[in-house]
Structures are given as structure tokens and as C-alpha cells.
Amino acid sequence: MNLSHLEKLESESIHIIREVASEFDNPVMLYSIGKDSAVMLHLALKAFAPGKLPFKLLHVDTTWKFKDMIKFRDDIEKEYDLDLLVHINQEGVKNNIGPISHGSKLHTDIMKTQALKQALNKYKFDAAFGGARRDEEKSRAKERIFSFRDQHHHWDPKNQRPELWNLFNTKIAKGESVRVFPLSNWTEIDVWQYIYQEKINIVPLYFAEERPVIQRDNLLLMVDDKRLDIKDYEKVQNKLIRFRTLGCYPLTGAIESSAKSVEEIIVELLESKNSEREGRAIDNDQIGSMEKKKQEGYF
Amino acid sequence: MDLKKFFQDQNKKNQIKILTCGSVDDGKSTLLGRLLYDSQNVFLDQMNQAKAESEKYGTQGKELDLALLIDGLQAEREQGITIDVAYRFFETPKCKFIIADTPGHEQYTRNMATGASNSDAAIILIDAQKGVLEQTKRHSFIVNLLGIKHVVVAINKMDLVKYDQNNFEKIVNEYKNFTKNFNFFSTNYIPLSALKGANVFSISENTKWYTGLSLIETLENIHIQDENVKNAFSMPVQWVNRSSSEFRGYSGTITSGKISKGDLITTALSNYQTSIKNIYGPKGELNVAFTNQSVTLTLKDELDISRGDTILTKDNKAIIKADKFAAHIVWMEQESMLPERNYIFRFNNTYINGQITDLVHSINVNSYEEIATKRLNLNDIAYCKIALNKMHSITSYKNNHQLGSFVIIDPYNNKTIGAGMIDHALRRSSNISWHEMSINKETRSKQNAQQPCVIWFTGLSGSGKSTIANILEQKLYTINKRTYLLDGDNVRHGLNKDLGFTDTDRVENIRRVAEVSKLMADAGLITLVSFISPFRSERQMAKELFQLGEFFEVFVSTSLEECEKRDPKGLYKKARAGELKNFTGIDSTYESPENPDLTLDTKKSSAEQLADQIINFLKDKKIV
């Protein structure tokens, strides 16, 4: 009997997740509230059923996430009785760091990359799951499933451990850590198909609805709260929109869409001409920008 | 759009993992760019980015450089070469492809083996202008060694040889000739121009003489059969699920065969026998589960089986409990592999320490000759014998890729330094068991009224090791302690007179001395060892032979400068003059201890004072 390709991916991811639980002292699952995190969490719950997850979840909150994301996160925590930690870079909060006042690069560095490092250091996690996929971005395509980080959480793309078969090298020295990507071999369409087949709950922002938006630079931004600082020449319009990926709301462009269900999203996706990261301001602020962020410790 | 049909089709699609290998400039990135582009798996924004970059870094003038869709990392874009394994995804109406893109230049063979380990098929690119190169042979050898069964030989840049049939056939014959002993199930040859798109997705007008399929059709038609499904059941225990006091399940991914409720099973290492009570798959309870599924099994009896063990059905005769085996290994690290050095072997569900005891031969991957060898360097491939420090369930790589493979890890820096494929278990040694003697170390130390131990002096030549050790031995003698001093020069005149000063011989030198000092400590003696012992790993290996509190590393920290100034035997002078090769500190490295039990500074104190310092240290440790 041959497994379908989705069943193969599912099995492979469960294997990876169990491997981490078996070999590391203090793993954590980075939970970003998005669809990939939802799939990763779903797989983790399956890996240890009927038991509870043998590790905590961590959400690095930049304080600029969509309100609906935070609500969804809190609901999921209750529904699955999860042990979820939330970390905010208080230093950044004190200095009022934000994407509008300081730009995407500085904001992402301080509120996301630095915040993540703070949290990893604070709780002394030795392994952290992330929901990244290799088809997302060119530098991700080169990353291992078990991606080694030095004591400063840095990634060295030229000095990665060879990864053969499914024999992951989980050996690290004190202070070092590993980022683990169980969804490495999934594509965007695989994720959506799995969400559909498994009826996985996702944040409502993925579904089209009339929402207040403005056009700024090349992005269609949703007016999620007052901090967006709308200029006189910017017009707030109600449009039927949805999001292909979710991040900080002033950095995440919406797309005009009428897809109100997972089925409709999949149809739209199959007909779409743009990749999902296109709506992300942070990828495009310099050439090779994701790779630079990753070397510095971004997920 | 009919979504239901779409999902049905999606679920019917085969997933095929393909390795691409070629030399630098064979046009591999261009081919991959072409596959993505022509299969319409490139998004508009990715295209635009590649277009922008084409203008900056491209090699195709104003045309879109397809290679730039592929060459991911910034560094490569600047150098115009690919440096690591990258994974690409694209699909056609029939198949989902995952491509492992690996670099062709020689020093990155390890990446190719990495890509090959998870691939079902391989595309081997040959530049039609250059024909079969050494690297083509190397790549084909690795593809065969890693057990890939389906090979597509893509003879690229046909546009530059005017799509000449003779040129194509000459390369085909050459390729057939050197791979005739390989275990490929299928080999297809395709004349190609990735740049022009010829024979990639459709047959080109320019190669009317070619009667085969296009590259993409060839790939779609590869029939991948998982042989493991037909074999007897095996599942390495990955995780013990004890989610409540009533529930004890064994989780893992099935590596061969199938299992049903009620089946009788046995465990490879602990040798329990029981039967399957229940099977849980990702979607809940199952009556039967198959190869590649991640499941949790519950058993009829309450047993204590742990990670590292393997659950089997009784008819599985291919898995043998053993601690020695023969294997092919690929060395992946700058630092050489030396026999007898301690390494960590990572198997499917466990780590076991062990040594490569015999290097049977290495293999020249260009000529496929077997060569006698004493060490392995980066990218070397060899056949060797391995001894583990404990029993493991061993099966051949041929029988099962998941269970028959391993990686080798350096215990000192945790790097992955090699990969291996098991050939067969060696059972010879399981008949020799250690003879328990009724007079043992304890009874001897009681009789001697002393606690035996080893004091291991390490330091450069001329640092003062032997001088201090001599004085120490005299002092111990005067307080009625039984001692023995093993000195580097003396041992090299007898026991180790067959050894020279190469790294390989230095490792063996220390191994023998460590074993001798162990016998002496066992005989109840306080054993002083005065050896340069330049490598950290061998000192660690020596230390691991002893129990806690039995082995003390004493670092005589005299600097190279000072040793050279003293030069009591005139050796530094000779080494500097080039008359002595492999001299520690000059053209052979000395690795200082990171955590010695004692560090002696010969500049501040006399040898006499330093010997007293050791006596005081031994008093603290209750040895004297």
C-alpha cells in the first residue's frame, strides 16, 4: 500500500516532532498564529495523542499583530489546554519601537529577532520548532530540517551540518540550539489541502470579508487600530479583502479577494500569479534580505 | 473548477524526490530554472525579482537568466556558483517533484551524498561539449553507492554541438561502459538544451533522430517501488508514549512491512515477545498499518521497551543483534578519520559510541580502484569495519535504507563528519566474553594498601614532563607506594617501535599506552604516563578507559618558545632544519587540554616543587 503524498508529509513531520521531544531537554514550539503554525500544532497533537504536548509553545508578540490573531491564539490555548508562553521585548516597548515610526527593518530586528533571542535565552530552550517551509523563499530552500544555531543564535549557511536520510544530528553544546522545521517539505498548496482535509481552525483574517483598508506604498493595509497614523491624503475604504500570510498588521498587505472558505482559497491560490510572501514588506527591504535576517537569528 | 476532482487528482499524484548533479557550468541551475519556469511553478513576483537580479548579476545579457531563479544565497549570486544543497518544488499534472539541487565541484561531494540519501532518482548532467568528466564518474558512483535505482543522464548544451547525434552517442557509450557494474534499475539518456528548452518538456525539432521521451515525461514515468513494503515488519521505537498510567504506547515510523492487531512481535535488543493490542495512526485507530506510516503501538503485555530498541515480527531474519559490522563510509570533514579514534554513531533511533577498527580499503571514485589506506580525508569513500561500545540491531543498507544507514559525529565538537551504509554484521567477537577473575583490582589494591590511578602528563617535547615524573616517582617510592613510569621514548623503543610520527601512528601510540596503563592500574599500581600525547581526542579516549577518580590529566604548560630555547635533546633544532618531520609544535599540532586536573608552570617553579604540588594534589584525592 502506498501512502498519498500528503500522508507521506504528515508521517515525516510527526517523525521529526517526536525526534525533537526524544532528544532535547527543553524544546519549545514557536507559535506564530498563522496557518503554518496551525498545521504544525495539529501535527504535534497527533504525534503525542492521546497525551498532551511534551513541550511548551511560545509566541513572540511584537505588539503589532492583528487583534484577531491574539484572540485566536488565546482561544486555541484554552481549547487544547496548551502551555503557551508569550514574550514581548519590553526594552523595545519602553523605546516605543514600531514599524511605522522606525521602519520594518528596525522593528523586525528589535521586536521579533531580538525578542525571540531574549525568550530563547530566558527559558534556556535548546530546540525551537518553526513552521517555515522550503518553498517559501530562496534562502529557506537551503536550510536543513534541523538547523544549528551558535550561542548567539546565528545561522551560518556555509557551515551547515550535512543531513542524510532521516538521521538528524541533535548533539549540541551548552548554550547552542537547533531550529527545527517539520514542514520543510510542504508546499503552500499542501498546507491548504491539509487544512481542508483535516478541518483545521485558522484565523478568520485568511477569509474574505469587508474590512477597512488604506493603500500605502505598494501594500493594501488594514486599519486594525489607531496606531496606523492615517495621513490626510490617505483614504480609508471598505473592501472585500483577505490575507495570504499574517504578521504585523502595518507590514502585511491584504489582497482583494472574495474567497470565504478554504475551498475558495485553494481555487484562488491555484489561479494566482503571485507568491505568498509578496505581501510581506520585510522580505524586500534589501536584496538577499531574508538571508541576512536569518544569519542574525530571525526564524 | 471542480475542487473534489482536484483533490482526487492531487492525492493520486506521485511524489518523486530527485537529485540533480553536474559539474560547475554544466548548466544545472539553468535546467532547474527551466523546469520551474516551463511547468509554471514560478510566481510573478519571483519572476520580477529574478529579472531585477538578471540585470545586476545575469550572464544572459538582457534575457532573463533562468539560473537566477535558482541560485538562492546572496554569496552565490555574487560568485555565480551554487554552494549547498537546496530543495526545489514543482509539479506537473501527474507528479509532485522535490528536487535536491547539489553542487558539482569536487570539495562538496558531501552535499551530493546528502542530497542522494533522500532521493528516488537522479539526473546526471553532462556538458555535450566536454563529455564524461571525472566528476561525472564521481557523481554516478555516489548515486549508486547511496542506492538510487533510477538515473536520467541529461546530455546538456546540445545547442552548442549543433544537436549532433554522434556526439550524443559517444557520450552515451562512454557512460554505459563505466557504469556497467552498477545496480541501476533504469538508465535513460536524453539530448538536452536547458537554455533553449529542447527536450525538456517537449521533443525538439532539432533532434529528430532522438526517439525517446522528453525529460519531464521520463521523470513522470519513473516507477518508484518501495521494496520495504513487501519485507517483514520492523519499527524502531522512537518515543515511549506514557500519557496516563493506563496508557503505554510505542511510537515510531514503520520501516518495513505491515502490522495488524493481534500480530506476534518480538524486540530486537531486549528480546521480549508479545502481541499487538492496538494501533494508532495519525487519523486514529487502525486495524493494519504499513511502511512509512508514523504510528503508536500498544502491546498485550506490560513491558519496558525503550527508545533505541526495534519492534519486529518473528519472521524478520534480516535484522541481527551485533556490535560489529562492515560498512561503506563517506568522510565529510576536513579533519581526517583515524582508525581507533572514538566517534559517535547515529543510527535511526539511537546514538552509540564506537570506533572504526579497520580501514579495509578506500575507493578511488574516478577509477573505482580499491586502495589500501591508513586514514580518510574529506570526500574520501572507504570500506571499513566498525566496533560499537554496545549492541545494536544491525541490518544491511541494501535491505533497508532507514535501518542500515548511520552518520558519524565528532564527540568533541558535535559536527556530522561522516555517513555510512552497513554492508553486514560481524558476529565473530560475540563469542569472546571478558573472563571475570576472582582476584581483581579491588583485592590487589587492598593487598598493596593503595588506591591505583594513572597520572597522565601531557605537554610539548622538552616541557619537563619526564623530569617531573621521575622526581614524583622517587617521592612516591619513599612513601612506600608501588609505581611504574611509562615514558614516551622508552615505550617507543619496545612495544611501539613499529610506529612513526604521523597522525595515524600517534593515535595508535597513545591507544596502546592507554591500554597498558589500564592493565597497570588494574594490577594495582600508581602509573605515571609521560607522553607528549598531542591530541585532545586521544587523551579523552584514554580517560574514558578509567573510572571516575582514577585518571588525572596533568598539563605541563611550558610554551613552545621556552621548550625551543631549552631544547634538551637538540630536537627542535633538527626539526627547524627540516631533518625531523611531523615534530609536535613545528609541523604537527599540539592541542592543549581544555580542562586538565592540574596545570604545571615550569617557569615559576622548579621540577622538585612541581612534584610536591602533585603529591599534595594526590593527598587531596586520597590517593596517598
Side-chain angles (χ1 to χ4, degrees):
Chain A
M1 203 199 90
N2 272 330
L3 300 180
S4 77
H5 89 276
L6 217 50
E7 286 170 324
K8 271 191 199 168
L9 290 171
E10 180 185 57
S11 263
E12 179 187 86
S13 301
I14 289 174
H15 183 90
I16 293 164
I17 293 168
R18 285 178 181 157
E19 202 60 18
V20 172
S22 301
E23 288 294 342
F24 289 92
D25 292 332
N26 192 18
V28 68
M29 180 168 277
L30 271 288
Y31 180 70
S32 74
I33 319 176
K35 63 178 194 309
D36 301 302
S37 281
V39 167
M40 183 165 64
L41 174 59
H42 187 81
L43 290 163
L45 291 165
K46 282 181 184 249
F48 304 106
K52 282 185 63 175
L53 292 189
F55 43 75
K56 293 184 166 84
L57 268 66
L58 170 69
H59 177 231
V60 176
D61 189 351
T62 62
T63 73
W64 288 86
K65 300 291 173 193
F66 292 90
K67 288 199 287 280
D68 274 0
M69 289 173 73
I70 301 300
K71 181 175 178 306
F72 183 85
R73 176 194 76 193
D74 296 342
D75 290 348
I76 288 287
E77 182 184 5
K78 273 187 221 112
E79 187 179 341
Y80 294 104
D81 189 20
L82 303 171
D83 205 341
L84 184 133
L85 306 163
V86 175
H87 182 81
I88 297 174
N89 183 352
Q90 294 302 340
E91 198 69 18
V93 172
K94 225 185 279 168
N95 290 306
N96 276 319
I97 302 293
I100 299 168
S101 49
H102 295 80
S104 77
K105 192 166 173 278
L106 190 85
H107 167 73
T108 308
D109 181 49
I110 291 176
M111 299 308 286
K112 230 169 155 174
T113 309
Q114 301 306 329
L116 173 63
K117 288 192 207 173
Q118 281 174 356
L120 295 176
N121 290 338
K122 178 176 168 191
Y123 297 104
K124 299 197 165 38
F125 293 123
D126 52 2
F129 290 104
R133 308 185 318 268
R134 282 171 176 160
D135 79 325
E136 270 178 79
E137 207 268 341
K138 282 194 287 189
S139 74
R140 295 233 199 261
K142 308 231 155 173
E143 194 156 6
R144 305 288 188 255
I145 294 174
F146 282 60
S147 184
F148 176 81
R149 302 300 153 110
D150 67 13
Q151 286 166 331
H152 309 288
H153 305 285
H154 286 182
W155 181 55
D156 181 358
K158 288 195 182 170
N159 199 17
Q160 300 193 79
R161 293 173 173 179
E163 203 163 79
L164 295 101
W165 299 287
N166 56 357
L167 303 176
F168 306 109
N169 178 352
T170 57
K171 298 273 178 192
I172 52 169
K174 216 176 158 216
E176 296 168 344
S177 63
V178 170
R179 306 272 171 96
V180 184
F181 303 103
L183 304 184
S184 286
N185 288 332
W186 295 58
T187 62
E188 188 182 17
I189 195 82
D190 293 331
V191 166
W192 280 112
Q193 194 184 338
Y194 193 67
I195 288 172
Y196 176 73
Q197 287 180 359
E198 295 283 314
K199 301 185 177 60
I200 299 171
N201 254 334
I202 51 171
V203 184
L205 291 162
Y206 284 111
F207 303 113
E209 210 176 294
E210 290 255 338
R211 296 185 174 98
V213 290
I214 58 163
Q215 182 78 40
R216 182 178 288 176
D217 301 323
N218 287 321
L219 299 178
L220 201 55
L221 296 182
M222 177 174 149
V223 186
D224 199 49
D225 60 33
K226 283 180 187 148
R227 293 178 297 176
L228 195 56
D229 189 24
I230 298 163
K231 303 280 185 294
D232 295 340
Y233 55 84
E234 288 174 327
K235 204 169 85 194
V236 180
Q237 290 172 292
N238 272 328
K239 280 190 173 167
L240 192 58
I241 57 142
R242 63 174 211 91
F243 294 87
R244 273 181 86 175
T245 63
L246 294 174
C248 295
Y249 84 83
L251 298 175
T252 310
I255 53 168
E256 292 194 60
S257 159
S258 58
K260 292 193 175 185
S261 64
V262 177
E263 292 97 308
E264 286 168 5
I265 288 174
I266 293 170
V267 172
E268 184 187 279
L269 191 69
L270 291 169
E271 289 162 357
S272 153
K273 295 259 185 292
N274 283 311
S275 77
E276 62 186 316
R277 295 205 75 87
E278 159 228 35
R280 291 276 179 111
I282 60 164
D283 292 351
N284 299 319
D285 48 20
Q286 49 185 314
I287 288 191
S289 60
M290 178 59 87
E291 185 184 340
K292 278 187 187 136
K293 287 196 187 72
K294 283 168 68 66
Q295 286 180 18
E296 286 153 15
Y298 180 72
F299 238 84
Chain B
M1 174 168 195
D2 184 353
L3 210 61
K4 214 170 183 179
K5 184 167 180 310
F6 169 76
F7 284 141
Q8 271 173 8
D9 292 347
Q10 282 293 100
N11 282 333
K12 262 189 254 158
K13 277 188 187 181
N14 255 330
Q15 185 199 59
I16 303 184
K17 293 182 174 174
I18 295 174
L19 172 75
T20 57
C21 25
S23 315
V24 190
D25 302 331
D26 285 343
K28 185 153 49 78
S29 292
T30 307
L31 176 63
L32 290 175
R34 172 65 64 191
L35 288 172
L36 257 60
Y37 185 75
D38 283 3
S39 63
Q40 296 171 343
N41 281 276
V42 183
F43 291 115
L44 218 79
D45 54 322
Q46 291 170 337
M47 274 293 289
N48 289 337
Q49 205 186 342
K51 274 183 190 157
E53 286 170 13
S54 282
E55 285 174 21
K56 204 164 167 187
Y57 308 107
T59 57
Q60 297 299 319
K62 288 215 163 138
E63 298 256 313
L64 170 69
D65 187 348
L66 287 171
L68 286 174
L69 283 170
I70 299 301
D71 287 340
L73 298 184
Q74 177 99 347
E76 298 169 17
R77 257 172 265 151
E78 283 154 10
Q79 296 164 16
I81 51 160
T82 318
I83 53 168
D84 203 292
V85 189
Y87 297 89
R88 313 286 165 201
F89 300 78
F90 77 96
E91 52 189 283
T92 63
K94 281 193 190 157
C95 275
K96 287 199 161 234
F97 293 102
I98 300 181
I99 292 205
D101 177 17
T102 63
H105 31 298
E106 208 158 334
Q107 64 268 42
Y108 287 101
T109 292
R110 62 171 212 170
N111 293 334
M112 229 208 86
T114 304
S117 72
N118 283 317
S119 295
D120 307 307
I123 300 176
I124 292 180
L125 269 156
I126 298 176
D127 184 336
Q129 303 168 101
K130 294 182 189 151
V132 172
L133 299 177
E134 278 200 348
Q135 282 158 358
T136 317
K137 292 189 176 172
R138 176 184 287 264
H139 296 153
S140 304
F141 183 85
I142 296 171
V143 163
N144 183 50
L145 182 69
L146 274 280
I148 294 182
K149 297 291 174 211
H150 304 276
V151 169
V152 178
V153 181
I155 298 166
N156 193 26
K157 301 197 182 177
M158 285 300 289
D159 53 317
L160 297 180
V161 297
K162 303 198 175 83
Y163 299 96
D164 177 38
Q165 185 178 4
N166 288 336
N167 190 311
F168 173 76
E169 268 161 16
K170 201 180 128 233
I171 296 171
V172 170
N173 287 332
E174 198 179 342
Y175 192 88
K176 276 185 183 160
N177 193 31
F178 80 81
T179 55
K180 58 178 181 277
N181 295 324
F182 287 6
N183 300 313
F184 300 150
F185 283 170
S186 75
T187 316
N188 285 286
Y189 304 87
I190 305 173
L192 213 72
S193 167
L195 191 69
K196 309 284 180 201
N199 298 337
V200 179
F201 274 77
S202 54
I203 294 298
S204 163
E205 282 292 298
N206 294 314
T207 52
K208 288 201 173 118
W209 46 267
Y210 173 67
T211 52
L213 300 172
S214 71
L215 174 63
I216 208 74
E217 288 167 320
T218 307
L219 295 176
E220 284 175 342
N221 281 316
I222 287 174
H223 189 59
I224 292 156
Q225 227 173 0
D226 201 337
E227 294 294 312
N228 292 338
V229 181
K230 289 186 239 154
N231 294 337
F233 173 81
S234 64
M235 187 196 88
V237 175
Q238 189 189 12
W239 167 263
V240 182
N241 188 328
R242 302 214 57 183
S243 43
S244 67
S245 53
E246 299 92 64
F247 191 90
R248 186 200 285 256
Y250 300 97
S251 302
T253 306
I254 299 175
T255 40
S256 65
K258 60 177 185 184
I259 192 83
S260 308
K261 279 187 200 175
D263 281 356
L264 292 174
I265 57 105
T266 146
T267 53
L269 296 181
S270 47
N271 211 11
Y272 291 123
Q273 303 195 13
T274 180
S275 61
I276 301 287
K277 190 165 125 197
N278 220 334
I279 305 169
Y280 302 89
K283 287 167 187 65
E285 230 177 286
L286 295 167
N287 285 320
V288 54
F290 298 87
T291 307
N292 293 333
Q293 273 186 303
S294 280
V295 295
T296 300
L297 307 174
T298 55
L299 305 176
K300 210 172 133 236
D301 299 296
E302 279 272 306
L303 301 171
D304 190 15
I305 305 167
S306 34
R307 177 175 164 90
D309 211 337
T310 302
I311 297 177
L312 312 168
T313 46
K314 273 208 129 166
D315 57 336
N316 198 328
K317 305 278 182 226
I319 296 172
I320 290 166
K321 184 170 159 179
D323 59 358
K324 288 192 172 57
F325 59 90
H328 281 101
I329 60 173
V330 181
W331 198 248
M332 300 179 151
E333 181 59 30
Q334 283 297 344
E335 198 178 315
S336 304
M337 192 293 287
L338 301 178
E340 298 296 348
R341 197 168 251 198
N342 199 35
Y343 295 116
I344 302 171
F345 294 83
R346 205 278 193 234
F347 296 94
N348 186 292
N349 61 347
T350 189
Y351 293 92
I352 304 176
N353 285 48
Q355 303 83 34
I356 296 166
T357 51
D358 302 270
L359 257 178
V360 181
H361 56 75
S362 71
I363 299 161
N364 179 326
V365 290
N366 303 321
S367 63
Y368 306 157
E369 260 178 305
E370 294 170 359
I371 308 157
T373 188
K374 285 200 167 166
R375 59 154 79 197
L376 293 182
N377 297 319
L378 179 63
N379 291 322
D380 280 351
I381 293 169
Y383 189 69
C384 57
K385 292 178 184 169
I386 291 170
L388 302 174
N389 293 359
K390 63 178 197 191
M391 288 287 183
H392 182 56
S393 39
I394 300 289
T395 193
S396 73
Y397 184 71
K398 234 180 218 156
N399 173 57
N400 193 302
H401 285 200
Q402 261 78 47
L403 299 178
S405 56
F406 57 92
V407 296
I408 308 170
I409 296 168
D410 186 331
Y412 304 100
N413 58 25
N414 296 324
K415 279 187 187 170
T416 301
I417 52 179
M421 289 136 282
I422 297 173
D423 192 25
H424 56 85
L426 298 164
R427 273 182 292 185
R428 285 179 309 187
S429 64
S430 54
N431 301 328
I432 306 167
S433 61
W434 191 251
H435 192 232
E436 277 303 331
M437 295 183 210
S438 42
I439 306 294
N440 57 25
K441 185 158 65 181
E442 257 170 71
T443 48
R444 282 185 217 105
S445 33
K446 253 189 205 151
Q447 192 183 36
N448 285 336
Q450 70 180 31
Q451 193 65 39
C453 71
V454 168
I455 301 161
W456 190 287
F457 292 84
T458 174
L460 290 165
S461 174
S463 58
K465 296 180 299 295
S466 297
T467 314
I468 300 166
N470 260 315
I471 299 173
L472 175 64
E473 195 179 21
Q474 287 165 24
K475 287 183 188 277
L476 289 170
Y477 182 82
T478 57
I479 53 172
N480 288 325
K481 295 295 168 191
R482 289 161 212 270
T483 59
Y484 194 83
L485 171 60
L486 284 165
D487 183 82
D489 290 349
N490 300 342
V491 173
R492 276 189 177 278
H493 282 122
L495 176 64
N496 289 356
K497 71 176 172 194
D498 56 327
L499 298 177
F501 290 89
T502 61
D503 286 358
T504 317
D505 283 357
R506 283 179 190 276
V507 171
E508 177 59 14
N509 184 33
I510 297 305
R511 189 192 68 83
R512 288 186 198 171
V513 171
E515 291 290 352
V516 169
S517 62
K518 188 182 177 187
L519 292 175
M520 292 194 161
D522 200 56
L525 301 177
I526 295 176
T527 312
L528 316 183
V529 179
S530 168
F531 272 69
I532 299 174
S533 42
F535 304 135
R536 227 169 263 149
S537 49
E538 273 62 61
R539 295 194 300 263
Q540 183 64 25
M541 179 260 290
K543 186 175 181 172
E544 280 168 9
L545 291 174
F546 296 91
Q547 287 163 3
L548 202 68
E550 252 186 9
F551 181 96
F552 304 107
E553 189 178 21
V554 176
F555 177 35
V556 184
S557 69
T558 320
S559 69
L560 176 64
E561 201 188 0
E562 180 65 22
C563 290
E564 209 170 341
K565 208 164 81 192
R566 292 180 197 166
D567 204 5
K569 298 176 213 160
L571 295 174
Y572 283 95
K573 216 171 168 184
K574 278 191 187 167
R576 286 287 182 206
E579 291 162 35
L580 267 182
K581 284 268 174 280
N582 299 321
F583 194 76
T584 303
I586 308 294
D587 56 351
S588 184
T589 46
Y590 179 79
E591 300 167 359
S592 300
E594 279 170 340
N595 247 328
D597 295 289
L598 206 58
T599 302
L600 303 180
D601 186 340
T602 58
K603 263 185 127 173
K604 281 195 190 140
S605 320
S606 68
E608 183 83 27
Q609 287 167 324
L610 293 170
D612 281 332
Q613 200 182 325
I614 301 173
I615 296 275
N616 285 334
F617 170 83
L618 294 175
K619 277 181 184 157
D620 279 352
K621 298 283 174 193
K622 309 236 177 336
I623 303 280
V624 299

